[in-house]
């Protein structure tokens, strides 16, 4: 279970799938969001291929979170189109997006403190028995427990006892539980919004391990992060936002930290990037 | 980046690692309280060495003082039925203050459809309706009473879930409305003389049978069904529940409906037991029901609590009441002591939680 992930931490273990030629998981065209007169996001053309991990970077207010909110249905876009696996989608709300297979790990973790790990993983989509009982149908605790163990094994998450409530778990463990939903439900696309922002060194390592594991399993992922080291370690491609516009789309091996920072701060402009996507 | 945090260990379901259930503490407290009363019985000079729970006179029949045990559970059974519902409401981080007056209103309404036509050969002196409503099968008053409860609960739940009125306010309003309905129904006159069938619902130990069977049913529902899981999830993190696709509003209405139906059933049992219904019935029942849940370890902020805890909480109140009478403590002191015990229960629980948080 651990062997294939031990080295992939550096992001160079397995040969990367040729991103450009793979199936397109997510595509946006001219994605735009205005809040009144504020142009938070302007004409974003984005593509994510199967098995690809992409980081979204940018300063505060650059449009990263706005971009994610348009994809996940949290907000309604002003203009533009979104395709998921070639199918045009218009999510009315975050639930729609989730049902379509987009699993988002939010900065504020959507976990119920008083429930244990399987309960949280399966919240709202429990395995049940005796379904004719309607709302009083019985829970299949055994099945959910087994599926949870399988899901956690897939992400190599270590949790002392899955039957403990989330309340007293560490920040890293909680984050892992939130992420483990992805692996348990075979989501089509995982989006993580600053998953390690509030974590310590060891906990960050644990989350990064999970991300590597997802990579090895070929699960596509969008990672929003401020952490340059993390981004360079984990992803295939870096997209930089600045003042609501996508200003750079860089393959990791063709760039470095300084280059990315230059785009983030605006020292380098994205003129040469126009229309490339 | 070392892989120290990365391992195969611990991904199991280990029964031995499960934490000490909260209910065990309440059971322990219950035993301690019983021991204290036993000691008081031996120590207090005017008690002459009587035992609280054990039968010291007739050793051959049984070891327990069965009469006292029956009284202990009988006197909390009816409020206990209400507490089963209020437990569910509090788990969703709500509260239901309307249950006491709802008991009275339901008692009046149900009893009106459960009257006999003739009392000792004479027409029923307390008749509410004409003869068409006399001597109806027992199912009629019961269904009407439960339907009334369901309606009140649906209104409570709708105000809480859809109009976002704080549960305290919504059910406080319903508290007054229900007491008003109880007074208005027969213009303050008692409704009496039920059919034998109806009286049977509350006769003898029947209230205890209802309380314990309903406790088992709702324990199973809360612990093992989707309804139960969603009830805890909403109380624990309403936003997470909504994000997970749970229809939070509809679920809350269902919880308030079930709670009010349980309170209505308590009203039916109470009127059947007393063979009469009066507008002043059920006074402070809502508060004692909440107290049972609180002693049973429920968290008023939601997400935590159980039916087993509430049943044990009801037993604690029953034992304390009975014990105070046993040591011949005056009723006024009983109320004061009960108040202190409820607050002490919450303080102990908070201390226990803080300790649990510090340990992990």
């Amino acid at each position: 279970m651990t062997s294939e992930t031990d080295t992939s931490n550096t992001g160079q273990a397995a040969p990367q799938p040729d991103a450009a030629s793979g199936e397109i998981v997510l595509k946006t065209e001219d994605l735009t969001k205005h809040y009144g007169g504020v142009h938070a996001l302007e004409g974003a053309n984005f593509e994510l291929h199967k098995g690809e991990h992409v980081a979204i970077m940018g300063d505060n207010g650059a449009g990263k979170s706005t971009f994610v909110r348009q994809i996940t249905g949290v907000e309604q876009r002003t203009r533009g189109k979104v395709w998921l696996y070639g199918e045009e989608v218009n999510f009315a709300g975050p639930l729609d997006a989730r049902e379509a297979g987009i699993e988002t790990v939010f900065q504020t973790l959507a976990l119920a403190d008083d429930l244990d790990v399987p309960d949280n993983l399966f919240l709202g989509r429990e395995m049940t028995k005796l379904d004719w009982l309607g709302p009083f149908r019985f829970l299949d605790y055994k099945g959910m427990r087994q599926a949870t163990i399988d899901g956690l094994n897939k992400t190599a998450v270590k949790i002392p006892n899955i039957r403990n409530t989330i309340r007293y778990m560490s920040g890293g463990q909680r984050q892992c539980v939130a992420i483990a939903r992805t692996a348990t439900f075979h989501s089509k696309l995982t989006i993580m919004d600053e998953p390690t922002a509030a974590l310590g060194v060891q906990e960050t390592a644990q989350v990064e391990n999970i991300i590597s594991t997802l990579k090895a399993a070929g699960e596509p992922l969008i990672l929003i992060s401020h952490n340059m080291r993390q981004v360079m370690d984990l992803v295939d491609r870096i997209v930089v936002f600045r003042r609501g516009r996508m200003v750079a789309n860089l393959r990791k091996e063709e760039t470095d930290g300084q280059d990315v920072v230059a785009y983030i701060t605006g020292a380098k402009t994205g003129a040469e990037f126009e229309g490339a996507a | 980046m070392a892989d120290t945090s990365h391992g195969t260990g611990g991904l199991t379901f280990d029964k031995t690692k499960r934490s000490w259930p909260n209910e065990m503490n309440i059971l322990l407290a219950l035993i301690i309280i019983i021991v204290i009363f036993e000691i008081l019985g031996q120590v207090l000079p005017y008690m002459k060495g009587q035992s609280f729970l054990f039968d010291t006179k007739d050793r051959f029949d049984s070891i327990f003082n069965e009469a006292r045990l029956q009284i202990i559970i009988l006197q909390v059974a009816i409020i206990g039925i209400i507490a089963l519902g209020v437990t569910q409401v509090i788990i969703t981080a709500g509260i239901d203050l309307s249950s006491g007056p709802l008991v009275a209103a339901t008692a009046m309404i149900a009893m009106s459809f459960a009257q006999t036509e003739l009392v000792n050969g004479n027409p029923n002196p307390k008749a509410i309706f004409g003869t068409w409503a006399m001597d109806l099968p027992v199912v009629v008053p019961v269904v009407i009473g439960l339907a009334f409860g369901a309606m009140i609960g649906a209104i409570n739940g709708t105000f809480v879930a859809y109009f976002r009125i704080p549960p305290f306010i919504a059910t406080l309003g319903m508290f007054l409305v229900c007491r008003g309905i109880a007074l208005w129904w027969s213009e303050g006159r008692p409704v009496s003389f039920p059919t034998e069938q109806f009286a049977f619902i509350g006769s003898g130990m029947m209230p205890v049978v209802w309380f314990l069977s309903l406790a088992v049913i709702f324990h199973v529902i809360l612990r093992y069904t989707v309804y139960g899981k969603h009830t805890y999830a909403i109380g624990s993190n309403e936003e997470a529940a909504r994000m997970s696709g749970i229809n939070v509003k509809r679920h809350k209405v269902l919880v308030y409906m079930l709670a009010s139906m349980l309170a209505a059933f308590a009203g039916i049992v109470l009127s059947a037991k007393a063979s009469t219904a009066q507008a002043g019935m059920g006074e402070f029942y809502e508060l004692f029901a909440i107290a049972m849940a609180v002693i049973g370890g429920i968290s008023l902020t939601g997400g935590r609590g159980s039916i087993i805890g509430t049943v044990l909480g009801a037993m604690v109140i029953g034992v304390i009441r009975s014990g105070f009478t046993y040591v011949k403590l005056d009723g006024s002191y009983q109320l004061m002591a009960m108040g202190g015990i409820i607050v002490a229960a919450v303080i102990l629980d908070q201390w226990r939680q803080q300790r649990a948080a510090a340990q992990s």
Side-chain angles (χ1 to χ4, degrees):
Chain A
M1 163 191 137
T2 57
S3 56
E4 80 251 33
T5 57
D6 283 343
T7 48
S8 61
N9 229 4
T10 56
Q12 292 163 356
Q16 306 293 347
D18 189 1
S21 67
E23 192 186 342
I24 295 172
V25 174
L26 182 84
K27 184 179 152 105
T28 73
E29 196 181 279
D30 193 29
L31 193 61
T32 300
K33 178 70 182 176
H34 298 170
Y35 302 103
V38 181
H39 295 200
L41 186 67
E42 196 65 59
N45 298 320
F46 179 84
E47 261 180 30
L48 180 73
H49 299 88
K50 200 161 191 179
E52 197 182 22
H53 281 197
V54 171
I56 294 183
M57 300 196 81
D59 228 336
N60 291 332
K64 312 185 294 289
S65 292
T66 309
F67 177 70
V68 169
R69 283 200 293 270
Q70 311 316 309
I71 299 171
T72 53
V74 175
E75 290 175 356
Q76 298 306 313
R77 54 187 180 264
T78 308
R79 196 172 71 223
K81 287 178 176 173
V82 179
W83 289 267
L84 186 66
Y85 284 91
E87 210 173 301
E88 197 176 342
V89 287
N90 282 299
F91 299 127
L95 279 176
D96 273 7
R98 194 169 183 180
E99 265 159 34
I102 298 181
E103 199 79 22
T104 313
V105 180
F106 291 102
Q107 268 174 314
T108 52
L109 304 174
L111 297 174
D113 274 353
D114 298 293
L115 303 184
D116 65 16
V117 177
D119 286 350
N120 266 292
L121 287 189
F122 285 89
L123 196 58
R125 46 189 163 183
E126 292 83 0
M127 291 185 185
T128 56
K129 295 183 283 199
L130 304 177
D131 285 352
W132 54 272
L133 287 166
F136 300 108
R137 62 193 184 277
F138 280 70
L139 296 161
D140 178 10
Y141 275 117
K142 225 175 155 184
M144 289 195 280
R145 208 144 60 210
Q146 194 51 52
T148 301
I149 290 170
D150 294 346
L152 290 178
N153 277 333
K154 224 187 287 174
T155 52
V157 175
K158 189 179 170 188
I159 284 168
N161 187 348
I162 59 169
R163 286 301 305 273
N164 285 346
T165 57
I166 305 279
R167 182 175 296 279
Y168 302 126
M169 288 188 181
S170 72
Q173 286 173 333
R174 296 166 66 93
Q175 190 66 265
C176 291
V177 171
I179 294 171
R181 279 178 176 161
T182 311
T184 312
F185 289 99
H186 310 283
S187 62
K188 293 175 179 167
L189 169 61
T190 307
I191 300 175
M192 296 189 190
D193 191 356
E194 306 251 15
T196 60
L199 302 185
V201 174
Q202 227 188 341
E203 293 176 329
T204 300
Q206 201 176 3
V207 170
E208 286 174 353
N209 264 315
I210 297 178
I211 296 173
S212 306
T213 317
L214 290 174
K215 174 75 190 160
E219 310 262 5
L221 176 125
I222 296 175
L223 173 72
I224 298 182
S225 178
H226 273 122
N227 186 332
M228 186 65 71
R229 195 258 325 137
Q230 183 176 68
V231 165
M232 285 303 188
D233 273 357
L234 294 173
V235 304
D236 308 312
R237 198 149 58 82
I238 299 164
V239 168
V240 180
F241 277 78
R242 182 172 160 75
R243 292 183 176 167
R245 287 179 179 278
M246 265 178 71
V247 293
N249 183 1
L250 312 158
R251 286 187 67 81
K252 186 181 68 185
E253 49 275 21
E254 292 161 7
T255 183
D256 56 37
Q258 274 185 325
D259 194 33
V260 175
V261 169
Y263 279 109
I264 291 173
T265 56
K268 244 178 166 178
T269 60
E272 72 273 24
F273 163 70
E274 284 296 321
Chain B
M1 199 156 308
D3 270 347
T4 47
S5 59
H6 184 167
T8 53
L11 276 177
T12 50
F13 167 51
D14 185 352
K15 279 195 167 104
T16 61
K17 277 189 180 167
R18 290 180 72 173
S19 48
W20 174 259
N22 193 26
E23 288 83 1
M24 291 302 286
N25 293 323
I26 306 150
L27 188 62
L28 213 63
L30 187 61
I31 292 167
I32 290 169
I33 291 166
I34 290 170
V35 169
I36 288 171
F37 280 123
E38 283 294 346
I39 293 170
L40 282 176
Q42 303 302 317
V43 170
L44 293 175
Y46 60 85
M47 298 298 297
K48 302 191 185 86
Q50 285 180 50
S51 172
F52 177 50
L53 277 189
F54 298 96
D55 190 351
T56 47
K57 286 170 198 151
D58 181 4
R59 286 163 205 280
F60 301 103
D61 238 8
S62 69
I63 53 163
F64 288 109
N65 182 343
E66 279 173 4
R68 174 128 45 220
L69 278 176
Q70 285 183 6
I71 290 169
I72 286 173
I73 187 159
L74 189 57
Q75 67 183 354
V76 294
I78 289 175
I79 303 181
I81 294 171
I82 303 172
L84 299 178
V86 99
T87 298
Q88 299 170 49
V89 171
I90 296 175
I91 289 172
T92 68
I95 194 91
D96 187 359
L97 297 175
S98 65
S99 49
L102 178 58
V103 163
T106 310
M108 304 291 283
I109 292 168
M111 186 59 95
S112 302
F113 295 95
Q115 290 180 300
T116 53
E117 188 168 0
L118 297 173
V119 180
N120 300 323
N122 300 314
N124 189 329
K126 304 287 187 191
I128 293 298
F129 297 120
T131 50
W132 64 268
M134 299 294 179
D135 292 314
L136 294 170
V138 66
V139 62
V140 176
V142 171
V143 167
I144 289 175
L146 291 179
F148 176 69
M151 186 190 80
I152 297 294
I155 295 170
N156 277 341
T158 304
F159 274 104
V160 169
Y162 289 93
F163 299 123
R164 297 182 184 281
I165 312 289
F168 188 92
I169 305 300
T171 59
L172 182 65
M174 192 54 83
F175 172 95
L176 296 171
V177 168
C178 282
R179 190 61 80 192
I181 290 172
L183 284 162
W184 161 80
W185 184 256
S186 62
E187 289 152 351
R189 286 175 291 133
V191 186
S192 307
F193 303 113
T195 59
E196 264 178 52
Q197 280 180 318
F198 189 78
F200 176 74
I201 296 174
S203 64
M205 293 299 281
M206 282 307 283
V208 176
V209 172
W210 294 123
F211 172 46
L212 294 181
S213 347
L214 287 167
V216 169
I217 291 169
F218 279 97
H219 168 73
V220 170
I221 286 178
L222 274 191
R223 181 67 67 86
Y224 298 106
T225 72
V226 171
Y227 166 87
K229 195 57 67 192
H230 290 182
T231 304
Y232 282 99
I234 288 170
S236 190
N237 187 342
E238 197 173 321
E239 194 54 41
R242 191 174 298 118
M243 294 292 287
S244 304
I246 298 172
N247 191 332
V248 173
K249 288 176 178 167
R250 203 177 61 196
H251 192 88
K252 276 190 178 175
V253 173
L254 186 57
V255 171
Y256 279 86
M257 272 178 77
L258 281 177
S260 290
M261 285 172 81
L262 282 163
F265 187 67
I268 292 168
V269 177
L270 180 62
S271 62
K273 183 177 177 229
S275 278
T276 183
Q278 297 180 3
M281 273 178 157
E283 199 182 13
F284 297 135
Y285 276 24
E286 67 286 336
L287 299 183
F288 272 106
I290 294 167
M292 286 173 182
V294 166
I295 292 175
I298 210 165
S299 160
L300 288 174
T301 52
R304 218 162 49 83
S306 72
I307 293 291
I308 294 178
T310 297
V311 171
L312 287 170
M315 295 308 297
V316 167
I317 287 189
V319 164
I320 288 170
R321 265 195 183 175
S322 184
F324 282 161
T325 310
Y326 157 77
V327 297
K328 302 186 175 62
L329 192 69
D330 193 60
S332 51
Y333 295 121
Q334 289 193 19
L335 280 179
M336 295 183 213
M338 194 76 81
I341 286 165
I342 291 166
V343 175
V346 176
I347 291 172
L348 265 175
D349 188 51
Q350 285 189 346
W351 173 76
R352 198 186 65 85
Q353 274 190 64
Q354 278 166 10
R355 210 183 44 160
Q359 273 174 358
S360 65

